[in-house]
Amino acid sequence: MSPREEYLTLFDLSTARALEFGPADRPWIPRETPGIRYIDHLSTEDLRKKMQSSPLYKPDDLCDIHFVSDGRPLKAILEDWIDLDLIVASHVVEHVPDLLGWLLDLSSVLASDGRIMLAAPNKAYIFDFLRRITTVEDVIANYLQHRTKPSPTAILEHISLISTNAGAITWSEEADSSKLARMHQPGEAYKLASDHVDDNSSYVDVHVSIFTPYSFVQILAGLTVNGFLPLELERIDENGFEFLVVLKRCVADERIPERVAALEKIAAKLPFRIRDYYAAEFVWREPRLRNFGAIDETALAKQQLEVELARLKGSASWRITKPLRGLRRLFH
């Protein structure tokens, strides 16, 4: 049984009321599931026309689309198909211009104990390797700007930095960054981004958010700390070039310290790499920097401690306990 199939066993699909985003010709929830409905940005007919010449899809095998996502809130689109037990999105979350707004929209049509099941690409094993990960500040900024299209920054980074590894856009092991090849020529990103800014009707589909499992959990923690998120993490698993997530509906401003502590406990078990927070130049140079003279083991140990301290101080639990540390200093 594959990890994706195992995730489906967590739910009773025979009675579930469910919605899946962008199923194309390979839905995560099988078409024969009684309570499944599919949603996409185009109708079935328009999707078939769009994908007619694509080598990646079989247009005749596309799932029938029940709802078209046209920019309205999900409640308005779905009408009476709400109070959902399960919402599924495979490799959708990274494309969403306003991640927080989207999660809030999803949660608004969930039943009180409803779940969201996501599959998202892991930057360490795909063409996003040279891009920096998305932070909670990025997510909140896009929310405050009510983003309906990818920002110029997202377009510039995507076009400039997406790369192949020996010709592949995904791979099973972490790549040597010195062997990656960029997929676009210099200048292409600027042209596309500038055209996008000048044309309100255009939409450039790129990876807006870049994740590792660790960074995704930290985004959830940051949103939880700020009282934004009516969802809590039930499960997260690495699965090759992607990772799988189950989120459960909750009340945004309840049990915040408990929920954040649970997220920090999960994050502590996931791989953390300082280079994920830097864009191409740092990552690209890393293999060459390894060869600069003999390694000072003491300096290396000190550097690792500093990185771990920076990670701790950047965590949500550190921010939550700041007032307590201040009180402690007053009485000692």
Side-chain angles (χ1 to χ4, degrees), residues 1-245:
M1 181 183 295
S2 71
R4 281 182 170 234
E5 291 171 334
E6 181 192 347
Y7 261 54
L8 288 180
T9 66
L10 301 173
F11 308 96
D12 183 359
L13 294 181
S14 66
T15 59
R17 192 178 176 93
L19 180 73
E20 179 169 351
F21 279 79
D25 56 351
R26 293 180 290 274
W28 196 345
I29 299 183
R31 317 166 197 245
E32 59 270 19
T33 304
I36 183 60
R37 299 291 184 273
Y38 297 121
I39 184 170
D40 212 315
H41 71 295
L42 294 173
S43 67
T44 310
E45 182 181 352
D46 288 339
L47 282 172
R48 287 199 175 113
K49 290 177 182 176
K50 178 181 177 180
M51 298 178 179
Q52 198 63 51
S53 59
S54 172
L56 301 176
Y57 302 98
K58 298 177 180 178
D60 293 338
D61 290 343
L62 292 177
C63 294
D64 289 328
I65 302 302
H66 302 88
F67 304 104
V68 175
S69 180
D70 56 9
R72 292 179 296 156
L74 274 174
K75 279 188 175 180
I77 296 171
L78 302 181
E79 296 182 347
D80 62 346
W81 193 258
I82 56 173
D83 295 326
L84 300 172
D85 301 301
L86 179 61
I87 297 175
V88 172
S90 174
H91 290 254
V92 173
V93 61
E94 68 273 17
H95 294 268
V96 177
D98 175 7
L99 173 58
L100 174 55
W102 186 66
L103 291 175
L104 293 174
D105 198 25
L106 299 188
S107 65
S108 74
V109 296
L110 282 176
S112 58
D113 60 347
R115 266 75 168 177
I116 298 171
M117 190 164 68
L118 303 174
N122 183 344
K123 149 191 158 82
Y125 304 101
I126 68 165
F127 55 75
D128 288 323
F129 189 89
L130 293 175
R131 291 184 64 182
R132 66 175 181 85
I133 60 99
T134 298
T135 66
V136 69
E137 290 79 16
D138 297 322
V139 172
I140 294 174
N142 286 336
Y143 175 70
L144 293 175
Q145 294 169 352
H146 306 289
R147 282 263 161 219
T148 58
K149 301 195 302 181
S151 69
T153 300
I155 296 171
L156 286 166
E157 287 189 356
H158 180 91
I159 303 300
S160 297
L161 301 179
I162 58 172
S163 308
T164 58
N165 178 26
I169 61 172
T170 64
W171 43 86
S172 58
E173 297 180 356
E174 285 202 50
D176 181 341
S177 59
S178 67
K179 296 180 180 178
L180 298 180
R182 300 196 193 202
M183 295 171 64
H184 295 281
Q185 296 298 315
E188 287 186 53
Y190 171 75
K191 178 67 168 61
L192 194 57
S194 60
D195 290 347
H196 176 69
V197 169
D198 294 336
D199 182 1
N200 289 329
S201 65
S202 70
Y203 192 98
V204 182
D205 185 23
V206 300
H207 282 191
V208 174
S209 298
I210 309 302
F211 306 116
T212 64
Y214 175 86
S215 75
F216 188 83
V217 174
Q218 285 300 314
I219 287 173
L220 296 180
L223 295 177
T224 301
V225 163
N226 284 283
F228 281 121
L229 198 64
L231 298 163
E232 55 187 318
L233 181 63
E234 277 201 331
R235 181 167 176 174
I236 184 168
D237 293 280
E238 294 186 85
N239 178 33
F241 71 90
E242 66 181 7
F243 59 95
L244 309 178
V245 176

Side-chain angles (χ1 to χ4, degrees), residues 224-225 227-232 250-260:
T224 301
V225 163
F228 281 121
L229 198 64
L231 298 163
E232 55 187 318
C250 66
V251 178
D253 57 359
E254 288 186 358
R255 301 183 298 106
I256 288 179
E258 177 188 337
R259 288 159 55 202
V260 171

